[in-house]
Each structure stands twice: as C-alpha cells, then as structure tokens.
Amino acid sequence: MNETELIAAARTSPDAFASLYDRTQPGVYRYAYSLAGNHTGAEDLTAEAYRRALVNLHRYEDRGRPFEAWLCTIVRNLARDGGRKRGREIPLMDHDQPQDHWPGFDLVRHEQRSAVQVAVGRLPEVQRRVVVLRFGREWSVRQVADELAKSEAAVKQLTYRAVNRLRELLQEAGYEHDA
C-alpha cells in the first residue's frame, strides 16, 4: 500500500495508523533527538507528535511531501513551543534543574560530532554519499545501490572502505576507536 492510500486508511483504521507509525518513527525520532539533544526529550517529542497527528489526521492534506515531513513539522513546533515555555519558567533551586548526565557531556558530544563531520567531508564524493545514505538516513544496502546505480556488492565495498578511511581520519585528528 502506498503512503497516500495508507494515510486514507489510517483515518478510520488504527492498524493503518500503526503501519504509518512503523514506517515513519525512526526518521521522526532522529529529528526529535537532533532538536532535544537527549533520549527522554526525543521520546516525549515523538510521542506527542504522533498523538497530535492521530487527533488531526483528518486535517492532513497531501501536498506532494512525505507524511514524515508533516510529522517533523509537528516535532519542530513542539520543540519551539517547549523552548519558549522553558524560557518563561524559573527554577527555584539548583536541584530543580534536570541533570541527565555529566555537564560536559554535550560539549564532548558536539566536539566528536564536529570531528566526524569534518572527516566525512574529507572522504571522496562517492564514499561520502554512501556514508550519508547508509548511516545518516539509515538506508538499506539495496536502497543505496539503487540510488547510486551500483551493485549491492559495490555498495558494501564502498561502505567498508569509507568506514576504514573515516577511522583513519579520526585517529589522525586524535580520536581513538572505542571497542
């Protein structure tokens, strides 16, 4: 069933909405995580986005964009509204601030992410595309092969070489591989 048919069915069938959820949840969660910066916040944003989507599915209009884009718009708006709300709230004491992890964790994660982005940028174009599609978008080997007009074996080999080259580039930048 294509996405348009599935959306039409989801307006009356919980099973069809569950199928939509299964198709779109990984991408929506990744986007929510990029905005929230932690798993708890991403889970909250994702859950609320699907709740709102279910309630407002009758208002959804297919404008040629994927259904996932509509969900990501909901997530973005929720994150923006949450940021505004947090900006108005003043904690009474330091212990009212949630501490999910070590305070320097975000800085280290940002530094590591930047190092990976620089390393990916130094890869040859075809390896960079394979890395972005396989690991950034979480496409299957078959999907990447179709996109690049290559065989699955070639995509596997490109992935292997790209990962090894990334490891070398990151080691040159001072990062060690954790087993």
Side-chain angles (χ1 to χ4, degrees):
M1 189 178 291
N2 71 30
E3 188 173 84
T4 304
E5 293 168 341
L6 195 55
I7 293 166
R11 290 184 168 122
T12 58
S13 166
D15 290 336
F17 191 81
S19 294
L20 271 175
Y21 175 86
D22 290 340
R23 284 185 183 186
T24 58
Q25 188 274 338
V28 172
Y29 175 82
R30 278 192 309 275
Y31 182 65
Y33 186 87
S34 74
L35 296 175
N38 62 61
H39 292 292
T40 304
E43 289 170 348
D44 290 346
L45 286 172
T46 303
E48 181 61 16
Y50 279 99
R51 187 195 69 77
R52 289 187 182 192
L54 181 60
V55 169
N56 295 302
L57 194 58
H58 66 280
R59 296 169 62 196
Y60 173 78
E61 295 178 24
D62 186 359
R63 296 180 180 167
R65 295 176 53 212
F67 183 70
E68 189 173 318
W70 185 60
L71 292 165
C72 287
T73 300
I74 295 170
V75 167
R76 185 193 67 224
N77 292 339
L78 287 167
R80 185 182 310 143
D81 292 346
R84 289 180 188 144
K85 182 179 179 185
R86 280 189 302 278
R88 290 190 304 264
E89 294 175 351
I90 301 171
L92 298 175
M93 304 178 94
D94 287 345
H95 68 271
D96 289 341
Q97 295 279 12
Q99 291 292 326
D100 289 344
H101 48 72
W102 169 64
F105 179 78
D106 290 334
L107 179 63
V108 170
R109 187 177 57 197
H110 177 72
E111 183 179 295
Q112 290 171 337
R113 186 178 295 145
S114 295
V116 169
Q117 287 173 339
V118 168
V120 168
R122 292 180 59 195
L123 290 174
E125 175 64 26
V126 69
Q127 288 182 1
R128 182 173 40 246
R129 288 191 66 202
V130 167
V131 167
V132 168
L133 295 174
R134 286 283 293 133
F135 303 112
R137 295 188 181 170
E138 295 184 3
W139 283 14
S140 68
V141 172
R142 158 80 52 208
Q143 289 172 308
V144 176
D146 291 344
E147 175 72 17
L148 300 179
K150 295 192 178 290
S151 70
E152 289 184 44
V155 169
K156 289 177 184 178
Q157 185 65 37
L158 282 167
T159 303
Y160 175 80
R161 289 180 180 163
V163 168
N164 283 334
R165 182 64 183 138
L166 277 175
R167 184 178 296 120
E168 291 170 5
L169 291 168
L170 289 170
Q171 286 173 343
E172 289 172 12
Y175 289 93
E176 294 298 321
H177 172 66
D178 293 333

Short mmCIF file of all heavy atoms in Angstrom, two decimals, residues 124-150:
data_model
loop_
_atom_site.label_atom_id
_atom_site.label_comp_id
_atom_site.label_asym_id
_atom_site.label_seq_id
_atom_site.Cartn_x
_atom_site.Cartn_y
_atom_site.Cartn_z
N PRO A 124 36.19 10.83 -0.35
CA PRO A 124 35.82 11.01 -1.76
C PRO A 124 34.30 11.07 -1.89
O PRO A 124 33.57 10.49 -1.08
CB PRO A 124 36.37 9.74 -2.43
CG PRO A 124 37.45 9.25 -1.51
CD PRO A 124 37.02 9.65 -0.13
N GLU A 125 33.82 11.76 -2.90
CA GLU A 125 32.39 12.03 -3.07
C GLU A 125 31.53 10.77 -2.96
O GLU A 125 30.54 10.76 -2.24
CB GLU A 125 32.13 12.73 -4.41
CG GLU A 125 30.67 12.95 -4.74
CD GLU A 125 29.95 13.89 -3.78
OE1 GLU A 125 30.62 14.75 -3.18
OE2 GLU A 125 28.73 13.76 -3.63
N VAL A 126 31.88 9.70 -3.66
CA VAL A 126 31.03 8.51 -3.66
C VAL A 126 31.01 7.86 -2.27
O VAL A 126 29.97 7.39 -1.80
CB VAL A 126 31.44 7.51 -4.76
CG1 VAL A 126 32.78 6.88 -4.49
CG2 VAL A 126 30.34 6.47 -4.96
N GLN A 127 32.14 7.85 -1.57
CA GLN A 127 32.17 7.30 -0.22
C GLN A 127 31.36 8.17 0.73
O GLN A 127 30.65 7.66 1.59
CB GLN A 127 33.61 7.17 0.29
CG GLN A 127 34.40 6.07 -0.37
CD GLN A 127 35.81 5.95 0.19
OE1 GLN A 127 36.21 6.68 1.09
NE2 GLN A 127 36.57 5.01 -0.36
N ARG A 128 31.44 9.47 0.56
CA ARG A 128 30.67 10.39 1.40
C ARG A 128 29.17 10.14 1.21
O ARG A 128 28.41 10.08 2.17
CB ARG A 128 31.03 11.83 1.06
CG ARG A 128 30.32 12.86 1.92
CD ARG A 128 30.78 14.29 1.72
NE ARG A 128 31.06 14.68 0.36
CZ ARG A 128 32.26 15.02 -0.11
NH1 ARG A 128 33.31 15.02 0.67
NH2 ARG A 128 32.42 15.37 -1.37
N ARG A 129 28.74 9.98 -0.04
CA ARG A 129 27.32 9.72 -0.30
C ARG A 129 26.87 8.41 0.33
O ARG A 129 25.79 8.32 0.90
CB ARG A 129 27.04 9.71 -1.81
CG ARG A 129 27.11 11.12 -2.40
CD ARG A 129 26.61 11.20 -3.81
NE ARG A 129 25.17 10.93 -3.85
CZ ARG A 129 24.55 10.51 -4.94
NH1 ARG A 129 25.22 10.32 -6.06
NH2 ARG A 129 23.26 10.29 -4.93
N VAL A 130 27.73 7.38 0.23
CA VAL A 130 27.38 6.09 0.82
C VAL A 130 27.23 6.22 2.33
O VAL A 130 26.28 5.72 2.93
CB VAL A 130 28.43 5.01 0.46
CG1 VAL A 130 28.26 3.77 1.31
CG2 VAL A 130 28.33 4.65 -1.01
N VAL A 131 28.15 6.93 2.98
CA VAL A 131 28.10 7.10 4.43
C VAL A 131 26.84 7.86 4.83
O VAL A 131 26.13 7.48 5.76
CB VAL A 131 29.37 7.82 4.96
CG1 VAL A 131 29.19 8.30 6.39
CG2 VAL A 131 30.58 6.89 4.85
N VAL A 132 26.54 8.93 4.12
CA VAL A 132 25.36 9.73 4.45
C VAL A 132 24.08 8.91 4.27
O VAL A 132 23.19 8.93 5.12
CB VAL A 132 25.32 11.02 3.61
CG1 VAL A 132 23.97 11.71 3.71
CG2 VAL A 132 26.43 11.95 4.03
N LEU A 133 23.99 8.18 3.18
CA LEU A 133 22.78 7.41 2.92
C LEU A 133 22.65 6.21 3.86
O LEU A 133 21.56 5.95 4.39
CB LEU A 133 22.76 6.93 1.46
CG LEU A 133 22.66 8.03 0.41
CD1 LEU A 133 22.79 7.45 -0.99
CD2 LEU A 133 21.37 8.82 0.54
N ARG A 134 23.76 5.49 4.08
CA ARG A 134 23.70 4.29 4.93
C ARG A 134 23.53 4.62 6.41
O ARG A 134 22.72 4.01 7.09
CB ARG A 134 24.98 3.45 4.77
CG ARG A 134 25.08 2.70 3.48
CD ARG A 134 24.23 1.45 3.42
NE ARG A 134 24.70 0.45 4.35
CZ ARG A 134 23.93 -0.23 5.17
NH1 ARG A 134 22.64 -0.03 5.20
NH2 ARG A 134 24.43 -1.12 5.99
N PHE A 135 24.29 5.59 6.90
CA PHE A 135 24.30 5.85 8.34
C PHE A 135 23.50 7.10 8.73
O PHE A 135 22.91 7.12 9.80
CB PHE A 135 25.74 5.94 8.85
CG PHE A 135 26.53 4.71 8.54
CD1 PHE A 135 27.58 4.75 7.63
CD2 PHE A 135 26.22 3.50 9.13
CE1 PHE A 135 28.30 3.61 7.33
CE2 PHE A 135 26.94 2.35 8.83
CZ PHE A 135 27.98 2.40 7.92
N GLY A 136 23.48 8.09 7.89
CA GLY A 136 22.71 9.30 8.20
C GLY A 136 21.23 9.09 7.98
O GLY A 136 20.41 9.43 8.81
N ARG A 137 20.89 8.52 6.84
CA ARG A 137 19.47 8.29 6.52
C ARG A 137 19.02 6.87 6.85
O ARG A 137 17.85 6.55 6.68
CB ARG A 137 19.21 8.58 5.05
CG ARG A 137 19.41 10.04 4.71
CD ARG A 137 18.96 10.33 3.30
NE ARG A 137 19.18 11.72 2.98
CZ ARG A 137 19.06 12.21 1.78
NH1 ARG A 137 18.71 11.43 0.78
NH2 ARG A 137 19.29 13.48 1.55
N GLU A 138 19.97 6.02 7.22
CA GLU A 138 19.71 4.62 7.58
C GLU A 138 19.03 3.85 6.46
O GLU A 138 18.10 3.08 6.66
CB GLU A 138 18.89 4.53 8.88
CG GLU A 138 19.65 5.05 10.07
CD GLU A 138 18.89 4.86 11.37
OE1 GLU A 138 17.78 4.28 11.38
OE2 GLU A 138 19.43 5.31 12.40
N TRP A 139 19.53 4.06 5.25
CA TRP A 139 19.02 3.32 4.10
C TRP A 139 19.65 1.94 4.07
O TRP A 139 20.76 1.73 4.53
CB TRP A 139 19.37 4.05 2.80
CG TRP A 139 18.52 5.23 2.50
CD1 TRP A 139 17.66 5.89 3.34
CD2 TRP A 139 18.46 5.94 1.26
NE1 TRP A 139 17.07 6.95 2.70
CE2 TRP A 139 17.55 7.00 1.42
CE3 TRP A 139 19.09 5.77 0.04
CZ2 TRP A 139 17.25 7.88 0.39
CZ3 TRP A 139 18.79 6.65 -0.98
CH2 TRP A 139 17.88 7.69 -0.80
N SER A 140 18.96 1.01 3.46
CA SER A 140 19.49 -0.34 3.28
C SER A 140 20.52 -0.33 2.15
O SER A 140 20.59 0.62 1.35
CB SER A 140 18.36 -1.31 2.93
OG SER A 140 17.85 -1.02 1.63
N VAL A 141 21.29 -1.40 2.09
CA VAL A 141 22.28 -1.53 1.02
C VAL A 141 21.57 -1.50 -0.33
O VAL A 141 22.04 -0.84 -1.27
CB VAL A 141 23.11 -2.83 1.19
CG1 VAL A 141 23.99 -3.08 -0.02
CG2 VAL A 141 23.95 -2.76 2.45
N ARG A 142 20.43 -2.15 -0.42
CA ARG A 142 19.66 -2.19 -1.67
C ARG A 142 19.24 -0.78 -2.08
O ARG A 142 19.36 -0.39 -3.24
CB ARG A 142 18.43 -3.09 -1.50
CG ARG A 142 17.29 -2.85 -2.45
CD ARG A 142 17.35 -3.40 -3.83
NE ARG A 142 17.64 -4.81 -3.89
CZ ARG A 142 18.24 -5.35 -4.93
NH1 ARG A 142 18.60 -4.61 -5.96
NH2 ARG A 142 18.49 -6.63 -4.97
N GLN A 143 18.73 0.02 -1.14
CA GLN A 143 18.29 1.38 -1.45
C GLN A 143 19.46 2.24 -1.94
O GLN A 143 19.33 3.00 -2.90
CB GLN A 143 17.66 2.04 -0.23
CG GLN A 143 16.31 1.46 0.16
CD GLN A 143 15.83 2.00 1.48
OE1 GLN A 143 16.54 1.97 2.48
NE2 GLN A 143 14.59 2.51 1.49
N VAL A 144 20.61 2.11 -1.28
CA VAL A 144 21.79 2.89 -1.68
C VAL A 144 22.24 2.44 -3.06
O VAL A 144 22.58 3.27 -3.92
CB VAL A 144 22.92 2.75 -0.64
CG1 VAL A 144 24.17 3.47 -1.12
CG2 VAL A 144 22.48 3.30 0.72
N ALA A 145 22.24 1.14 -3.29
CA ALA A 145 22.65 0.61 -4.60
C ALA A 145 21.75 1.17 -5.71
O ALA A 145 22.24 1.59 -6.77
CB ALA A 145 22.61 -0.91 -4.58
N ASP A 146 20.45 1.19 -5.45
CA ASP A 146 19.52 1.73 -6.45
C ASP A 146 19.78 3.22 -6.68
O ASP A 146 19.78 3.69 -7.82
CB ASP A 146 18.07 1.53 -6.00
CG ASP A 146 17.65 0.05 -6.02
OD1 ASP A 146 18.36 -0.76 -6.66
OD2 ASP A 146 16.63 -0.27 -5.40
N GLU A 147 20.01 3.97 -5.61
CA GLU A 147 20.24 5.42 -5.71
C GLU A 147 21.52 5.74 -6.50
O GLU A 147 21.56 6.66 -7.30
CB GLU A 147 20.33 6.03 -4.31
CG GLU A 147 20.69 7.50 -4.29
CD GLU A 147 19.56 8.41 -4.75
OE1 GLU A 147 18.39 7.98 -4.80
OE2 GLU A 147 19.87 9.56 -5.09
N LEU A 148 22.56 4.95 -6.25
CA LEU A 148 23.86 5.21 -6.89
C LEU A 148 24.06 4.43 -8.18
O LEU A 148 25.12 4.56 -8.80
CB LEU A 148 25.00 4.89 -5.91
CG LEU A 148 25.00 5.67 -4.59
CD1 LEU A 148 26.16 5.22 -3.72
CD2 LEU A 148 25.08 7.16 -4.84
N ALA A 149 23.07 3.63 -8.56
CA ALA A 149 23.16 2.80 -9.76
C ALA A 149 24.40 1.90 -9.70
O ALA A 149 25.18 1.81 -10.64
CB ALA A 149 23.15 3.65 -11.03
N LYS A 150 24.57 1.24 -8.56
CA LYS A 150 25.69 0.33 -8.35
C LYS A 150 25.13 -0.98 -7.83
O LYS A 150 23.99 -1.06 -7.37
CB LYS A 150 26.68 0.90 -7.34
CG LYS A 150 27.37 2.17 -7.83
CD LYS A 150 28.55 2.52 -6.95
CE LYS A 150 29.27 3.75 -7.46
NZ LYS A 150 29.99 3.55 -8.68
#
